[in-house]
Amino acid sequence: MIRIAIVEDDRHDREALKKCLNRYEKENQMKFSVTEFQDGEDIVTDYTASYDLIILDIEMAFLNGMKAAEKIRELDTNVIIIFITNMPQYAIQGYKVNVLDYILKPISYFSFSESMVRALAKVKTPEKEYITIVLKGGKKKLDVARICYVEVQDHVLIYTLWMGILRQRAL
């Protein structure tokens, strides 16, 4: 599931974005989890790096999109940001905060879908890392994220996992 934040102060533009997301989701057999914010201040307050994509309006009342993007980048360098604006002169400033794209208002589905294709191509699904350990009777591929800690007792490695324990004789 792709986690998306919409940060838009205008209700009509927010609704247009949600319609575009719903259409894109259906046409491409994808699943989105969408969270809405009405101002840049709302998203940066207690920001957690939990979004894959942020669609961010530039002109907002309290904290504009450019300042919000700067604060987000301090905490999250991986999130994809797309600006939506009716002011194309902000395009150059977007390079400072590593914005992927701009969508001009009024929002058209065609430009929206082109931006989504580029954005979703960059969304990375976390890759699992594995190690292979030798056990009696063969080898076991072990997800590194499951390892809580490893200890040695009498030349035996003991892997304590989040869901169980494995023992391996040290070579």
Side-chain angles (χ1 to χ4, degrees):
M1 180 175 304
I2 308 294
R3 298 158 302 178
I4 300 173
I6 296 174
V7 187
E8 171 60 67
D9 58 344
D10 184 87
R11 184 177 58 84
H12 296 292
D13 288 333
R14 207 168 44 247
E15 291 301 317
L17 280 169
K18 288 193 312 189
K19 284 181 184 177
C20 288
L21 283 168
N22 288 335
R23 180 175 169 185
Y24 192 90
E25 194 174 31
K26 288 176 185 166
E27 288 179 359
N28 295 281
Q29 292 83 40
M30 301 185 88
K31 190 71 178 152
F32 298 145
S33 170
V34 180
T35 306
E36 299 174 43
F37 299 93
Q38 293 185 20
D39 192 81
E41 185 70 31
D42 297 336
I43 192 168
V44 299
T45 302
D46 299 323
Y47 180 81
T48 59
S50 59
Y51 301 105
D52 299 306
L53 170 63
I54 299 174
I55 302 172
L56 184 61
D57 185 19
I58 293 179
E59 289 292 316
M60 291 182 284
F62 297 105
L63 183 64
N64 71 37
M66 195 62 66
K67 294 288 184 193
E70 288 172 5
K71 290 183 181 214
I72 289 167
R73 281 291 178 233
E74 290 173 8
L75 303 169
D76 188 354
T77 58
N78 295 321
V79 69
I80 306 299
I81 299 175
I82 296 175
F83 276 150
I84 53 173
T85 185
N86 53 7
M87 306 180 83
Q89 65 267 28
Y90 285 108
I92 300 299
Q93 291 178 342
Y95 288 109
K96 294 178 185 175
V97 290
N98 195 22
V99 171
L100 176 72
D101 210 351
Y102 288 82
I103 300 174
L104 290 176
K105 295 179 184 179
I107 301 162
S108 76
Y109 182 72
F110 179 75
S111 63
F112 173 84
S113 63
E114 284 185 328
S115 290
M116 286 298 288
V117 167
R118 284 190 293 279
L120 295 177
K122 292 196 175 280
V123 171
K124 295 182 175 106
T125 55
E127 294 182 24
K128 291 186 176 185
E129 293 184 42
Y130 295 95
I131 60 170
T132 303
I133 60 173
V134 179
L135 300 171
K136 285 184 183 176
K139 295 180 180 179
K140 172 113 175 132
K141 186 175 168 182
L142 187 61
D143 181 357
V144 173
R146 288 189 56 215
I147 299 172
C148 195
Y149 61 90
V150 180
E151 61 183 309
V152 178
Q153 291 180 359
D154 297 322
H155 300 285
V156 175
L157 292 174
I158 302 172
Y159 294 83
T160 302
L161 311 176
W162 290 110
M163 300 287 225
I165 297 175
L166 288 175
R167 295 177 189 271
Q168 174 191 23
R169 179 151 309 276
L171 301 174

